[in-house]
Amino acid sequence: MTPTLQVFLIVSAALFSIGLLAALSRRHAIFILIGIEMMLTAANLNFIAFWRFSPPAQQPVGVMIAIFSIAIAAAEAAVGLAMVIAVYRHYRTTNVDQLDQLKG
Amino acid sequence: MSSAAFVIISIFTLAAALAAATLRKLMHAALSFAVALVGIAAFFFLLGAEFVGLALVFIYIGAVAVLIVFTILLTRRHAGKDRGFNWSGVAIAVAVFGGLTWSIVKTQSLSIVAPHVPALTVKRIGQALMTSYVWPLQCVGLLLTAALIGALVLVMEEKR
């Protein structure tokens, strides 16, 4: 029995939920970034799975969207990690719970 | 597309991703994240998108994971370990997973097997990138340049 589209989508949903868990439950800024990257990659897996399981088309649209999405995720990671370093320089911590200067 | 390969890759990927999300030491989590990305690249190979799998290995493991490791090394004077775990986040993640799985399983039109498609060659991807997708390609180039300059500006020393 070959895997259907459903099982790929379920694996992708599990990966997305693990990324959400990392982004919501950890206090360290780098863990939050890792979680966001994991959610983006789960979305890429969905694009590729839908492309593979749809009837052949003129253009490989799903693959193209995945390539552009990977490029945008790389830009996002660079800016996010630069922000982590800037925050660390300013506050001497990367724990997001302690960044409470704007708290009323 | 064989079932055994799918089961092995999915267990490998999900275990590495769970380790990346729950390990206490930041460096171990970053390395588990790289292992999880290897699993996702293997999924892409399994699905017949070899070019995207290779791009994932180059960009994510070669650049993003190394960047994360560099940032950990640059900022770890105080926080070697991450203490405290927000359990409401776990509840939300489990609820999201349950909802997504329920809706995926309920949708009958998703239980299809892969049709036979011709292999996606790099030549076809290149032709598509240079003809129909040339405008988005230029925009991504502009975006990457802007992100590079923005990251540099963010980490520049503040003038006092």
Side-chain angles (χ1 to χ4, degrees):
Chain A
M1 162 198 165
T2 56
T4 58
L5 178 55
Q6 267 178 336
V7 289
F8 278 99
L9 294 186
I10 288 172
V11 167
S12 174
L15 207 65
F16 181 87
S17 307
I18 293 170
L20 192 68
L21 186 149
L24 286 181
S25 64
R26 303 309 292 252
R27 306 263 159 79
H28 200 286
I30 294 174
F31 270 117
I32 296 174
L33 270 174
I34 288 178
I36 291 171
E37 292 290 329
M38 219 180 278
M39 291 195 271
L40 273 168
T41 323
N44 281 344
L45 185 58
N46 259 5
F47 279 130
I48 298 288
F50 273 111
W51 162 75
R52 182 66 183 80
F53 284 84
S54 56
Q58 197 73 35
Q59 301 275 1
V61 183
V63 172
M64 287 301 144
I65 295 178
I67 289 171
F68 287 121
S69 159
I70 288 173
I72 291 169
E76 177 257 322
V79 174
L81 291 168
M83 277 171 66
V84 171
I85 291 180
V87 163
Y88 176 76
R89 278 209 186 127
H90 197 80
Y91 293 99
R92 290 281 139 195
T93 181
T94 43
N95 190 335
V96 291
D97 274 0
Q98 289 169 23
L99 310 179
D100 50 4
Q101 234 175 33
L102 285 178
K103 202 174 181 178
Chain B
M1 219 188 295
S2 75
S3 190
F6 174 80
V7 171
I8 292 168
I9 295 172
S10 50
I11 290 172
F12 177 76
T13 309
L14 292 179
L18 208 58
T22 54
L23 279 182
R24 275 190 173 273
K25 280 213 174 145
L26 203 47
M27 190 60 90
H28 296 175
L31 295 178
S32 311
F33 177 59
V35 173
L37 289 174
V38 173
I40 293 170
F43 266 128
F44 287 180
F45 276 91
L46 188 69
L47 283 166
E50 286 90 359
F51 181 76
V52 187
L54 272 180
L56 193 89
V57 170
F58 287 152
I59 296 172
Y60 269 92
I61 300 171
V64 173
V66 172
L67 208 61
I68 288 174
V69 170
F70 265 111
T71 312
I72 292 169
L73 292 176
L74 281 174
T75 61
R76 74 166 176 182
R77 191 175 305 160
H78 298 293
K81 283 185 180 177
D82 182 24
R83 284 178 219 297
F85 204 80
N86 193 353
W87 288 101
S88 59
V90 180
I92 292 172
V94 169
V96 166
F97 177 64
L100 283 175
T101 308
W102 181 77
S103 52
I104 289 167
V105 170
K106 279 283 169 187
T107 311
Q108 286 303 316
S109 57
L110 291 180
S111 58
I112 51 175
V113 291
H116 189 75
V117 292
L120 183 66
T121 56
V122 180
K123 186 179 171 191
R124 252 184 84 199
I125 294 177
Q127 273 173 347
L129 271 180
M130 283 298 138
T131 53
S132 336
Y133 292 89
V134 70
W135 179 232
L137 187 73
Q138 302 294 327
C139 288
V140 163
L142 192 68
L143 176 88
L144 283 173
T145 314
L148 189 74
I149 297 171
L152 277 177
V153 168
L154 269 176
V155 296
M156 259 198 290
E157 289 286 344
E158 292 171 28
K159 296 267 191 321
R160 291 201 172 86

